[in-house]
Protein backbone atom coordinates (compact mmCIF):
# COMPACT_ATOMS: atom_id res chain seq x y z
CA UNK A 1 0.00 0.00 0.00
CA UNK A 2 1.15 3.52 -0.60
CA UNK A 3 0.13 6.55 1.41
CA UNK A 4 -0.27 9.48 -0.93
CA UNK A 5 -1.34 12.89 0.24
CA UNK A 6 -3.45 14.96 -2.08
CA UNK A 7 -1.54 18.04 -0.95
CA UNK A 8 -4.03 18.63 1.86
CA UNK A 9 -2.50 17.82 5.30
CA UNK A 10 -5.98 16.97 6.64
CA UNK A 11 -6.65 14.38 3.92
CA UNK A 12 -5.23 10.84 3.51
CA UNK A 13 -5.33 8.92 0.23
CA UNK A 14 -4.28 5.26 0.32
CA UNK A 15 -3.85 3.41 -2.99
CA UNK A 16 -3.55 -0.38 -3.08
CA UNK A 17 -1.42 -1.97 -5.81
CA UNK A 18 -3.75 -4.97 -6.05
CA UNK A 19 -7.52 -4.43 -6.27
CA UNK A 20 -9.29 -5.83 -3.20
CA UNK A 21 -12.71 -7.53 -3.55
CA UNK A 22 -15.48 -5.90 -1.54
CA UNK A 23 -17.81 -8.86 -0.96
CA UNK A 24 -17.95 -12.51 -2.13
CA UNK A 25 -21.50 -12.00 -3.40
CA UNK A 26 -20.30 -9.15 -5.63
CA UNK A 27 -17.25 -10.61 -7.42
CA UNK A 28 -16.81 -7.67 -9.82
CA UNK A 29 -16.78 -4.97 -7.14
CA UNK A 30 -13.27 -4.01 -6.12
CA UNK A 31 -11.56 -1.36 -4.06
CA UNK A 32 -8.39 0.20 -5.41
CA UNK A 33 -7.88 2.74 -2.67
CA UNK A 34 -9.30 4.57 0.30
CA UNK A 35 -9.55 8.26 1.03
CA UNK A 36 -10.43 9.76 4.41
CA UNK A 37 -10.03 12.92 6.43
CA UNK A 38 -7.22 12.99 8.95
CA UNK A 39 -8.97 13.93 12.17
CA UNK A 40 -7.27 13.93 15.53
CA UNK A 41 -7.70 15.48 18.95
CA UNK A 42 -4.96 18.06 18.35
CA UNK A 43 -7.05 19.54 15.53
CA UNK A 44 -10.09 20.10 17.76
CA UNK A 45 -10.97 23.68 18.54
CA UNK A 46 -13.49 24.98 21.04
CA UNK A 47 -15.36 28.16 20.36
CA UNK A 48 -14.75 30.94 22.88
CA UNK A 49 -18.49 31.02 23.54
CA UNK A 50 -18.46 27.37 24.56
CA UNK A 51 -15.25 27.60 26.56
CA UNK A 52 -16.84 30.00 29.04
CA UNK A 53 -15.35 33.18 27.63
CA UNK A 54 -12.76 33.52 30.39
CA UNK A 55 -15.15 32.51 33.17
CA UNK A 56 -13.49 30.46 35.86
CA UNK A 57 -14.75 26.89 35.71
CA UNK A 58 -12.42 25.21 38.21
CA UNK A 59 -12.80 25.54 41.96
CA UNK A 60 -10.86 24.48 44.99
CA UNK A 61 -11.93 24.03 48.59
CA UNK A 62 -10.85 27.55 49.58
CA UNK A 63 -13.02 29.18 46.93
CA UNK A 64 -16.09 27.28 48.21
CA UNK A 65 -16.06 29.43 51.37
CA UNK A 66 -16.05 32.70 49.45
CA UNK A 67 -18.82 31.44 47.14
CA UNK A 68 -20.94 30.41 50.14
CA UNK A 69 -20.39 33.82 51.75
CA UNK A 70 -21.42 35.50 48.48
CA UNK A 71 -24.63 33.44 48.41
CA UNK A 72 -25.44 34.29 52.04
CA UNK A 73 -24.70 37.98 51.49
CA UNK A 74 -27.15 38.08 48.61
CA UNK A 75 -29.64 36.06 50.64
CA UNK A 76 -29.46 38.68 53.39
CA UNK A 77 -29.96 41.44 50.82
CA UNK A 78 -33.02 39.76 49.30
CA UNK A 79 -34.43 38.97 52.77
CA UNK A 80 -33.97 42.68 53.63
CA UNK A 81 -35.96 43.65 50.53
CA UNK A 82 -38.68 41.27 51.58
CA UNK A 83 -38.96 42.68 55.11
CA UNK A 84 -39.02 46.29 53.87
CA UNK A 85 -41.98 45.63 51.60
CA UNK A 86 -44.46 46.49 54.38
CA UNK A 87 -44.06 50.12 53.30
CA UNK A 88 -45.80 49.25 50.01
CA UNK A 89 -48.88 47.95 51.84
CA UNK A 90 -48.98 51.03 54.05
CA UNK A 91 -48.84 53.30 51.01
CA UNK A 92 -51.54 51.37 49.18
CA UNK A 93 -53.89 51.91 52.10
CA UNK A 94 -56.94 49.89 53.02
CA UNK A 95 -59.22 50.81 50.14
CA UNK A 96 -62.82 51.81 50.62
CA UNK A 97 -62.31 55.38 49.44
CA UNK A 98 -59.21 55.90 51.51
CA UNK A 99 -55.64 55.91 50.30
CA UNK A 100 -53.81 56.96 47.15
CA UNK A 101 -56.01 54.97 44.75
CA UNK A 102 -59.07 57.04 45.54
CA UNK A 103 -62.71 56.16 46.05
CA UNK A 104 -63.97 55.43 42.54
CA UNK A 105 -65.53 51.98 41.97
CA UNK A 106 -62.58 50.40 40.17
CA UNK A 107 -60.14 51.50 42.90
CA UNK A 108 -61.00 48.45 45.02
CA UNK A 109 -60.34 46.14 42.07
CA UNK A 110 -57.06 47.90 41.31
CA UNK A 111 -56.08 47.65 44.97
CA UNK A 112 -56.78 43.90 44.82
CA UNK A 113 -54.53 43.53 41.77
CA UNK A 114 -51.76 45.51 43.47
CA UNK A 115 -52.02 43.31 46.56
CA UNK A 116 -51.86 40.15 44.43
CA UNK A 117 -48.68 41.41 42.78
CA UNK A 118 -47.33 42.41 46.19
CA UNK A 119 -48.08 38.98 47.71
CA UNK A 120 -46.56 37.03 44.82
CA UNK A 121 -43.47 39.28 44.78
CA UNK A 122 -43.00 38.91 48.53
CA UNK A 123 -43.39 35.11 48.30
CA UNK A 124 -40.93 35.02 45.39
CA UNK A 125 -38.34 37.12 47.23
CA UNK A 126 -38.74 35.03 50.37
CA UNK A 127 -38.26 31.80 48.39
CA UNK A 128 -35.25 33.28 46.59
CA UNK A 129 -33.65 34.20 49.93
CA UNK A 130 -34.35 30.69 51.28
CA UNK A 131 -32.87 29.15 48.12
CA UNK A 132 -29.73 31.30 48.38
CA UNK A 133 -29.23 30.21 52.00
CA UNK A 134 -29.85 26.58 51.04
CA UNK A 135 -27.34 26.85 48.18
CA UNK A 136 -24.74 28.28 50.57
CA UNK A 137 -25.29 25.39 52.99
CA UNK A 138 -25.14 22.86 50.15
CA UNK A 139 -21.87 24.39 48.98
CA UNK A 140 -20.46 24.11 52.49
CA UNK A 141 -21.54 20.44 52.56
CA UNK A 142 -19.76 19.89 49.23
CA UNK A 143 -16.65 21.50 50.70
CA UNK A 144 -16.82 19.24 53.78
CA UNK A 145 -17.16 16.19 51.54
CA UNK A 146 -14.30 17.43 49.35
CA UNK A 147 -12.05 17.93 52.37
CA UNK A 148 -13.05 14.54 53.81
CA UNK A 149 -12.21 12.86 50.51
CA UNK A 150 -8.89 14.71 50.35
CA UNK A 151 -8.08 13.60 53.90
CA UNK A 152 -9.07 10.01 53.11
CA UNK A 153 -6.88 10.06 50.01
CA UNK A 154 -3.98 11.52 51.97
CA UNK A 155 -4.40 8.92 54.70
CA UNK A 156 -4.62 6.18 52.11
CA UNK A 157 -1.44 7.41 50.45
CA UNK A 158 0.26 7.65 53.83
CA UNK A 159 -0.90 4.14 54.74
CA UNK A 160 0.32 2.86 51.37
CA UNK A 161 3.75 4.38 52.02
CA UNK A 162 3.85 2.71 55.44
CA UNK A 163 2.94 -0.66 53.93
CA UNK A 164 5.54 -0.29 51.19
CA UNK A 165 8.17 0.80 53.73
CA UNK A 166 7.35 -2.12 56.04
CA UNK A 167 7.40 -4.63 53.21
CA UNK A 168 10.71 -3.17 51.96
CA UNK A 169 12.19 -3.59 55.43
CA UNK A 170 10.79 -7.11 55.60
CA UNK A 171 12.35 -7.95 52.23
CA UNK A 172 15.73 -6.62 53.33
CA UNK A 173 15.86 -8.65 56.55
Amino acid sequence: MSDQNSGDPDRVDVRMPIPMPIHPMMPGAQVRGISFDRISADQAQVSGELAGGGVRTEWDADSFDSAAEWLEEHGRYVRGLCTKMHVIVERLGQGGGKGPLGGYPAAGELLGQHRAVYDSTKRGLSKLADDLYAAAEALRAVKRNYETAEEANAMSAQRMNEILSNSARGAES
Side-chain angles (χ1 to χ4, degrees), residues 48-114:
E49 295 171 5
L50 296 176
V55 174
R56 183 176 174 179
T57 57
E58 294 179 3
W59 298 92
D60 57 11
D62 295 333
S63 61
F64 287 160
D65 285 330
S66 62
E69 289 171 12
W70 183 92
L71 288 166
E72 284 184 339
E73 178 184 330
H74 285 76
R76 282 190 296 274
Y77 172 75
V78 171
R79 180 76 67 213
L81 291 176
C82 191
T83 57
K84 294 174 187 172
M85 285 183 67
H86 66 87
V87 174
I88 297 171
V89 171
E90 293 168 5
R91 290 193 180 166
L92 283 175
Q94 299 302 314
K98 300 175 185 173
L101 298 179
Y104 60 93
E109 185 180 325
L110 185 58
L111 179 62
Q113 291 174 353
H114 281 290

Side-chain angles (χ1 to χ4, degrees), residues 125-138:
L125 286 174
S126 180
K127 181 169 179 357
L128 176 60
D130 291 343
D131 290 347
L132 287 169
Y133 286 124
E137 184 53 39

Side-chain angles (χ1 to χ4, degrees), residues 4-11 13:
Q4 302 168 354
N5 272 338
S6 61
D8 183 1
D10 295 331
R11 187 86 182 142
D13 295 313

Side-chain angles (χ1 to χ4, degrees), residues 155-172:
M155 290 187 321
S156 297
Q158 181 181 3
R159 181 70 182 133
M160 185 181 292
N161 283 336
E162 290 173 7
I163 291 170
L164 291 173
S165 296
N166 291 341
S167 64
R169 279 189 225 119
E172 290 174 1

Side-chain angles (χ1 to χ4, degrees), residues 15-37:
R15 299 286 168 230
M16 292 176 260
I18 301 170
M20 303 291 291
I22 293 179
H23 193 276
M25 298 299 289
M26 300 184 323
Q30 298 175 346
V31 175
R32 294 186 181 272
I34 300 172
S35 295
F36 58 91
D37 290 332

